[in-house]
Amino acid sequence: MPQSRAEKEKKEPSGKFRPEIEGVRAIASLLVAVFHIWMHRVSGAVDVFFVVSAFLITTGLSGQIARTGRVQFAVFWGGLIKRLLPAALLVLCAVIITSLVLMPKSRWKDTIEQVGAAAIYLENWLLAYRSVDYLARHEAVSPVQHFWALSVQGQFYVLWPLLFAFGATIARRWEVARRAVLTALLVVLFAASLAFSIHLTAVNQPFAYFHTLARAWEFSIGALLALYLPSIRLPATLRVLMGWIGVLAILSCGVVMQVSRVFPGYAALWPTLAAVLIITAGTTGSRWGVDRILGSRPLVYVGGISYGIYLWHFPILTFCQLVAEPHDITVVTGIAILVSSIALAALTQRFIEGPARYSRIAEHAPARAFAFGAACLAPVGLGLLLWTGLYFHARDTALKRVDGLAAYPGAAAVIPGAALTEEARAIAASKVDVFPGPLSVNNDRDMLDCKLDASPTVATPCVLGDRDGTFTVAVVGGSHSSQWLPALETIAAGPASLRIIALTKSDCPFHLGKSVSDTELDSCGAWNNSVMEQVVRLRPDIVLMTSTRYDNGDEYVPEGYIAAWRRLGEAGIEVVALRDNPDFEFDVSACVELHGADDPLCSLPRARMLETPSPVEALRPLLTHVRFIDLSDYFCDRTTCPPVIGNVLVYRHKNHVTATYVRSLAPMLYRAIQAAVGVSVTPAVARGN
């Protein structure tokens, strides 16, 4: 990440200042902020920072070894502590305080964990392992999520001097040129890391995105450039061309590619090689060189505070989005976020970064910088400790206040096609807390026994319910299919002889053909083919899946669904296709906590959420083996789709239904299946929850 004018090593070995590097960091930091604020995607500029940081740090380490014959670890790490920690920990303290004031309690636990991970430079690993869990991956964004890149860079700063010390030792003992040894080490690291990155990105891209080893090759590029740039001599005209190509490549990367879905892998060569071109081009002296722009005073100044811009913009953006929900932030608000980020970065540089960076702390005893770092970390640790105590107190209090289940009928309070019953209105007016509450809603999910990570491509049946049941339901698709498993398990727990086979994987809707979603995993094609083979082999009585999806609020039936239904029909297998629940496109549980269940902000019009007639109506005559089920009347009354029904919170965040509400729908689901395919309804199941 940009380094708070991070390295005075941004000079070449000759001592010549590289203003164009500051300009590159300025552009990269502004790109990161602009893409986050207005484009809601990733720019690829973080990869530029990785290359630039490796170039500067390698230049500094090489110079240190040349001067002293060794790596001075205490001096190196102590200097980094003084430069990096004060500003980063200041931002974390600000996040803790602001979260206590503005953040809904439903997000406390996740944010506490992420602030703690960010403080010790392990945020990328926390996000990497959470990325395996689709349900965690789609939770609200944390105000410190951007610390993942700082964490990768921090780990690089720990390992890089060890690598260089090892190379210098080998060179000395074997009497080999130091640059040759370091080159060999870096080339091996580059090749191994890039190969690993390409492989992991192909099989599990969300995990690869945050993986340190999948990013190591980007640092190797910058380091190799630092070792060999002094020996490179190129014509001025070529360097001018290289500089412009590099800048244009950096600016266009995030526009052309959906970076968060394809990086790192070989796709990340785009911004990393662009950074190499600019650094290699250097100061051309030409009036047409891009370095005249990059080295201008405004960009050099912004580059000097780029670390602070990166640190501040994301928490400010996250909290502004939280306050604005369910509405998007306005253009004016976005400009205010960017301006305030730059202003805070400038103030941080003036009063925190600069004084700490150039202080006399540890001047004569470099190891004392570690004590300084611990002192900086103490307020964050204390803040997290107090916040955690408040969280547990609030959680325990909330658990004690939960009333009897009779106060939470959920879907049983609904008369389809009408407003809530008078009984339901009376229950809603009673003085009970909405359930699940803010401290439990994120864990109110579908069963986890059959949970899979992103990588499998071969489907393995997971059997639930009555394993010896006489009627078999195969559930296929992504999380919007698997979220109905609690209702099916509730049905099977009664006298109904229901055997449930789960063949679901999150982020993998069941279809044949091209992708139906931007978030669909690369492994879904092979996975769905395997699911089809398993279903044809097992021959269940019915296959249960969703029938519709949402795309920017519009409900439709993907062509891939229809292709899958036809394939199942050819195999003589009946399908029960369940209309998908409404997609609110904002965090419903947070809205209810902040504004209340009755606030119009937290409800949406039925006409906006559900197409009339349903998109499946035209398909009924064409697909006679598909039975379409529509339970949307239990999510929306005649005019409105509310966030709470029968005192039960319907949605866990944007579009996933809480397991509690799904269970309350068990009788309705079973009656619908009976009507569709003639399954015998057990009275006890049909009556109760």
Side-chain angles (χ1 to χ4, degrees):
M1 282 330 348
Q3 297 302 314
S4 67
R5 295 166 65 179
E7 297 87 14
K8 283 298 181 182
E9 296 90 346
K10 60 178 170 277
K11 296 180 180 179
E12 291 181 288
S14 63
K16 183 180 178 182
F17 177 59
R18 300 290 303 267
E20 77 281 358
I21 290 183
E22 289 291 69
V24 169
R25 294 187 345 182
I27 289 177
S29 63
L30 293 175
L31 272 179
V32 169
V34 167
F35 270 68
H36 282 161
I37 294 170
W38 285 292
M39 303 183 71
H40 309 296
R41 58 192 298 178
V42 180
S43 65
V46 164
D47 305 83
V48 174
F49 285 132
F50 289 162
V51 174
V52 171
S53 295
F55 175 81
L56 297 175
I57 288 298
T58 299
T59 300
L61 282 171
S62 297
Q64 189 181 90
I65 295 173
R67 291 190 305 271
T68 66
R70 62 188 180 89
V71 174
Q72 296 174 304
F73 294 102
V75 172
F76 178 81
W77 287 325
L80 289 174
I81 288 171
K82 289 169 60 178
R83 290 198 292 266
L84 304 183
L85 255 61
L89 297 178
L90 172 66
V91 171
L92 293 181
C93 285
V95 167
I96 292 172
I97 295 170
T98 309
S99 296
L100 287 170
V101 176
L102 295 179
M103 183 174 287
K105 293 183 177 65
S106 58
R107 300 186 188 176
W108 276 16
K109 181 176 180 292
D110 175 65
T111 308
I112 288 171
E113 292 173 351
Q114 292 205 38
V115 170
I120 58 175
Y121 288 83
L122 291 176
E123 171 73 354
N124 67 307
W125 288 111
L126 176 62
L127 294 177
Y129 285 105
R130 285 188 174 182
S131 73
V132 176
D133 181 359
Y134 167 87
L135 299 172
R137 199 161 67 241
H138 288 252
E139 298 292 357
V141 174
S142 158
V144 298
Q145 184 166 308
H146 64 314
F147 269 74
W148 77 266
L150 298 175
S151 297
V152 171
Q153 195 165 14
Q155 294 156 31
F156 155 73
Y157 286 149
V158 171
L159 296 175
W160 222 239
L162 297 175
L163 177 67
F164 272 66
F166 175 72
T169 301
I170 294 298
R172 187 169 54 252
R173 290 185 178 180
W174 290 3
E175 297 183 349
V176 180
R178 185 171 60 248
R179 190 171 75 162
V181 174
L182 290 173
T183 299
L185 292 174
L186 290 170
V187 168
V188 170
L189 178 61
F190 170 82
S193 173
L194 181 58
F196 174 73
S197 182
I198 293 172
H199 168 72
L200 190 60
T201 301
V203 300
N204 193 346
Q205 187 273 334
F207 187 69
Y209 192 84
F210 301 109
H211 201 295
T212 302
L213 296 180
R215 298 279 185 172
W217 64 269
E218 301 183 46
F219 294 100
S220 299
I221 287 179
L224 287 167
L225 180 61
L227 292 179
Y228 285 91
L229 184 59
S231 305
I232 298 175
R233 297 290 183 268
L234 298 173
T237 303
L238 178 59
R239 290 195 290 129
V240 168
L241 182 61
M242 291 168 61
W244 278 109
I245 292 174
V247 168
L248 292 176
I250 291 173
L251 292 174
S252 62
C253 179
V255 176
V256 174
M257 289 192 290
Q258 183 63 276
V259 171
S260 63
R261 298 296 302 171
V262 299
F263 273 33
Y266 58 82
L269 285 166
W270 184 322
T272 53
L273 292 181
V276 169
L277 289 176
I278 295 173
I279 296 173
T280 303
T283 302
T284 65
S286 169
R287 62 184 297 187
W288 307 109
V290 74
D291 53 289
R292 289 178 62 88
I293 298 173
L294 296 177
S296 63
R297 291 184 65 182
L299 283 185
V300 169
Y301 177 77
V302 173
I305 63 171
S306 56
Y307 182 48
I309 294 173
Y310 186 86
L311 284 172
W312 283 111
H313 85 280
F314 201 73
I316 297 172
L317 171 62
T318 303
F319 287 118
C320 285
Q321 289 174 328
L322 179 62
V323 172
E325 277 189 343
H327 306 296
D328 293 329
I329 60 172
T330 63
V331 174
V332 173
T333 303
I335 294 172
I337 291 170
L338 184 58
V339 171
S340 61
S341 301
I342 295 173
L344 283 171
L347 291 172
T348 302
Q349 164 63 26
R350 174 68 178 83
F351 297 105
I352 302 294
E353 289 184 65
R357 162 75 174 89
Y358 299 109
S359 70
R360 299 175 66 87
I361 296 172
E363 183 177 5
H364 301 294
R368 291 181 181 175
F370 295 94
F372 171 73
C376 293
L377 187 60
V380 176
L382 179 61
L384 286 174
L385 185 63
L386 294 174
W387 192 7
T388 302
L390 287 174
Y391 165 76
F392 282 115
H393 174 74
R395 188 192 66 174
D396 293 343
T397 302
L399 291 174
K400 293 176 182 177
R401 293 173 59 190
V402 173
D403 293 77
L405 292 178
Y408 300 97
V414 177
I415 295 178
L420 296 180
T421 64
E422 290 300 320
E423 178 187 4
R425 292 187 183 278
I427 291 173
S430 62
K431 301 299 181 181
V432 299
D433 294 323
V434 170
F435 184 85
L439 297 176
S440 59
V441 63
N442 287 333
N443 293 320
D444 198 68
R445 304 171 174 177
D446 52 273
M447 49 70 62
L448 300 176
D449 293 343
C450 301
K451 180 178 173 183
L452 294 171
D453 64 24
S455 57
T457 57
V458 178
T460 302
C462 181
V463 182
L464 305 167
D466 184 354
R467 294 177 177 273
D468 299 318
T470 58
F471 190 87
T472 300
V473 178
V475 182
V476 301
S479 60
H480 280 238
S481 293
S482 66
Q483 71 181 1
W484 288 94
L485 289 171
L488 293 170
E489 288 189 294
T490 299
I491 295 169
S497 181
L498 194 65
R499 181 171 177 256
I500 307 162
I501 298 177
L503 289 164
T504 60
K505 185 166 84 159
S506 294
D507 254 345
C508 277
F510 183 64
H511 66 90
L512 298 179
K514 65 180 182 179
S515 172
V516 300
S517 168
D518 289 340
T519 62
E520 187 172 316
L521 297 172
D522 293 336
S523 60
C524 289
W527 167 266
N528 283 330
N529 289 333
S530 178
V531 169
M532 182 65 75
E533 293 174 1
Q534 289 285 354
V535 168
V536 172
R537 180 181 66 83
L538 294 169
R539 305 200 64 78
D541 294 283
I542 60 171
V543 168
L544 180 69
M545 62 177 289
T546 55
S547 63
T548 59
R549 289 186 63 84
Y550 286 87
D551 181 18
N552 294 322
D554 297 325
E555 188 183 18
Y556 73 107
V557 180
E559 290 295 327
Y561 284 20
I562 299 173
W565 295 336
R566 284 177 172 153
R567 180 78 60 83
L568 290 170
E570 293 169 0
I573 297 172
E574 284 196 280
V575 178
V576 173
L578 183 61
R579 189 176 191 177
D580 202 5
N581 58 268
D583 183 351
F584 271 60
E585 299 183 327
F586 63 85
D587 190 336
V588 180
S589 62
C591 186
V592 169
E593 182 182 353
L594 293 174
H595 303 291
D598 297 327
D599 195 304
L601 282 173
C602 304
S603 300
L604 288 176
R606 179 183 179 118
R608 172 180 166 183
M609 302 302 296
L610 298 168
E611 295 288 336
T612 303
S614 169
V616 305
E617 291 304 318
L619 298 173
R620 291 183 186 274
L622 305 176
L623 299 165
T624 56
H625 69 290
V626 180
R627 314 299 184 210
F628 294 103
I629 291 180
D630 190 345
L631 298 180
S632 55
D633 283 346
Y634 293 98
F635 291 96
C636 307
D637 62 27
R638 287 171 295 189
T639 61
T640 306
C641 301
V644 175
I645 297 176
N647 279 332
V648 174
L649 188 60
V650 180
Y651 302 95
R652 193 174 64 255
H653 45 86
K654 297 180 181 181
N655 52 45
H656 286 101
V657 182
T658 61
T660 298
Y661 192 74
V662 166
R663 290 188 188 96
S664 76
L665 280 165
M668 300 75 169
L669 176 63
Y670 197 47
R671 284 196 292 266
I673 293 175
Q674 177 204 24
V677 298
V679 177
S680 175
V681 175
T682 304
V685 175
R687 287 196 306 266
N689 287 310

